[in-house]
Amino acid sequence: MVFAHDTELALAAAAALVNTAHPDPDELSTGDQLAEFARTWQWSGVCGDYSAELAAVRDLRPTLERFWAVDKDTAVDIVNRVLRESNALPQLVKHDQLDYHIHAVPSHAPLAERMAVEAAMAMADVIRADELGRLQICGAEDCGDVYIDLSKNRSRRFCSTSCGNRSNVAAYRARRR
Ligand SMILES: [Zn+2]
Ligand SMILES: [Zn+2]
């Protein structure tokens, strides 16, 4: 493991959230899609109305995507601003099947705020470990999705095996020509 389990989960969730904006149509177009996303990524706590949270969650995506594009000092500015604006107060908690991990805003805070703070806390780990280089953009020509390279030797090149396979086939065909 490169980072703590909750950090790795938060980074993967942040990447998945960013990537929902890439397909056309947008994969977070409805409250139901947001509810499904929240279930998939195990966002605990109450959310009464996903349709009402949708706009704020969608607006968060470009902010998180900047982590894949900026230098360390700018990433620090984003992390600090998110933590400041949401009055983050880190607390160790344990719930459901999860062992101790950090919540920095209460579980009744708006979903977008919880997502922003969780990503910012994870990025604080990444920055302190000087591992920003693990935030990568898929090498497949037609993709552009973001991912976190958690491999030992930082050798991952694609967001998914399907992108890797597609690119390998394309490279093979190019060689044969
Ligand atoms: Zn939790
Ligand atoms: Zn890809």
Side-chain angles (χ1 to χ4, degrees):
M1 200 167 6
V2 180
F3 303 106
H5 66 101
D6 55 335
T7 294
E8 295 195 349
L9 180 63
L11 293 171
L17 180 60
V18 166
N19 291 336
T20 60
H22 293 166
D24 186 18
D26 192 308
E27 284 176 350
L28 280 188
S29 300
T30 66
D32 284 347
Q33 286 176 319
L34 177 56
E36 179 62 35
F37 182 88
R39 252 195 312 278
T40 303
W41 290 99
Q42 300 173 338
W43 287 95
S44 60
V46 275
C47 176
D49 186 353
Y50 285 101
S51 306
E53 307 260 22
L54 184 63
V57 173
R58 287 167 58 98
D59 287 352
L60 171 62
R61 296 180 301 185
T63 304
L64 295 188
E65 188 155 22
R66 291 189 65 211
F67 284 129
W68 274 263
V70 297
D71 62 17
K72 202 196 300 190
D73 290 340
T74 311
V76 166
D77 287 343
I78 300 169
V79 167
N80 285 344
R81 180 169 50 79
V82 168
L83 295 179
R84 197 171 53 239
E85 286 176 354
S86 55
N87 297 310
L89 176 66
Q91 299 280 290
L92 281 163
V93 298
K94 184 151 101 168
H95 61 82
D96 300 307
Q97 306 93 322
L98 296 169
D99 201 355
Y100 280 116
H101 58 284
I102 293 176
H103 282 192
V105 284
S107 56
H108 55 73
L111 185 57
E113 187 172 295
R114 290 192 283 141
M115 288 172 157
V117 168
E118 191 153 303
M121 293 294 293
M123 285 304 299
D125 275 5
V126 173
I127 292 164
R128 278 154 54 230
D130 203 12
E131 294 281 10
L132 257 185
R134 289 184 181 275
L135 274 66
Q136 290 288 335
I137 296 171
C138 182
E141 228 170 67
D142 52 351
C143 183
D145 276 3
V146 300
Y147 67 92
I148 318 290
D149 183 359
L150 294 174
S151 65
K152 227 178 223 163
N153 51 358
R154 298 175 183 76
S155 58
R156 199 171 146 193
R157 293 291 168 263
F158 302 101
C159 73
S160 62
T161 34
S162 73
C163 274
N165 291 340
R166 216 169 54 247
S167 298
N168 290 338
V169 169
Y172 174 76
R173 290 211 179 107
R175 275 198 304 276
R176 297 242 311 183
R177 269 200 298 273

